[in-house]
Amino acid sequence: MTAVQQQVTAPGRGQRKGGRRSAGSVVLNTVLGLALAAGAVSLQTLAMSADDMDSRLTYSGAKGQEVNAGRFAVKVKGVSSAKQIRTFDKTVPTDQIFLVVDAEATVPKTPLNLAAPVLLTADGRRFAGSDKVNSTLSGVPIQPGWWTPGVFIFEVPVDALAGAKAVISPQGSALYGEPLMPEAQVDLGIDDATAKRLASAPAEVYTPGEKK
């Protein structure tokens, strides 16, 4: 009887041990599977975020109109040209032409700073704001409740003037990119005749903030 009991008991122990190993394997495989799935999701998210970095929600309008881009609104009041820009104690010249976009901006409730502007030409070229002089509407806090005035300044060849648009957007985060950033594209109203006038008769010197 004792021997029979030992024979019956021994396989039982072996089965229980085998069961523990099987359960452990299932748990390990499950954990590994979840980790791999999470990694795949993370990689997919990173890839989507990288693709979305250049995406924009574009709101279009024209000079004299309020262009509401959701997080901010901007209005271009006028354009002018100059051979030189006076900043503080120096005068900055150009061998091209300075295009000065007189504008103002506001926000509905959350303050933000506008990024450096871009000039989009009729043939698809893009010019960043001048790196010689600061655009006074770039980098300053735009507050809700009132319109903040200033200028965007571009240094461009004269063939970039006709049909040009100002592209204005908020500054992105320094820590992470923001997909689907809003931007306002404002037609500056520069037809061929206006382009010729701006090119042929620029102001000798333009001083930002100076009343005309």
Side-chain angles (χ1 to χ4, degrees):
M1 291 295 293
T2 302
V4 172
Q5 289 175 349
Q6 288 175 347
Q7 290 176 356
V8 172
T9 302
R13 290 187 185 130
Q15 289 173 355
R16 283 195 297 271
K17 290 180 180 179
R20 291 192 188 99
R21 285 196 298 271
S22 178
S25 299
V26 170
V27 172
L28 179 60
N29 289 336
T30 301
V31 172
L32 289 175
L34 291 172
L36 290 173
V41 171
S42 297
L43 289 175
Q44 185 178 13
T45 301
L46 288 173
M48 290 177 64
S49 296
D51 290 340
D52 287 341
M53 288 295 293
D54 292 331
S55 298
R56 294 290 186 268
L57 288 174
T58 300
Y59 300 81
S60 299
K63 185 181 71 171
Q65 298 176 345
E66 176 183 337
V67 183
N68 191 329
R71 288 177 53 192
F72 71 99
V74 64
K75 183 188 295 182
V76 170
K77 298 186 293 182
V79 294
S80 59
S81 60
K83 296 178 182 178
Q84 304 174 84
I85 302 290
R86 180 175 291 124
T87 59
F88 300 107
D89 58 348
K90 64 179 181 178
T91 300
V92 180
T94 177
D95 55 1
Q96 301 186 87
I97 194 168
F98 284 116
L99 179 66
V100 180
V101 178
D102 183 17
E104 57 186 8
T106 189
V107 293
K109 58 181 180 179
T110 304
L112 56 74
N113 293 356
L114 295 179
V118 171
L119 189 77
L120 176 62
T121 68
D123 58 5
R125 289 175 292 167
R126 288 177 176 263
F127 293 90
S130 175
D131 58 359
K132 292 182 179 179
V133 291
N134 292 327
S135 295
T136 61
L137 261 181
S138 300
V140 299
I142 307 300
Q143 302 288 346
W146 62 82
W147 290 83
T148 300
V151 294
F152 298 114
I153 301 176
F154 303 95
E155 186 180 5
V156 296
V158 295
D159 66 355
L161 297 176
K165 299 178 180 179
V167 182
I168 303 157
S169 59
Q171 286 183 348
S173 169
L175 298 178
Y176 59 88
E178 179 181 353
L180 298 179
M181 182 80 78
E183 69 175 19
Q185 283 193 13
V186 186
D187 188 328
L188 299 178
I190 305 176
D191 56 17
D192 290 338
T194 304
K196 289 179 181 179
R197 177 178 57 79
L198 291 171
S200 63
E204 193 64 35
V205 179
Y206 176 85
T207 303
E210 184 178 71
K211 293 184 178 180
K212 297 180 180 180

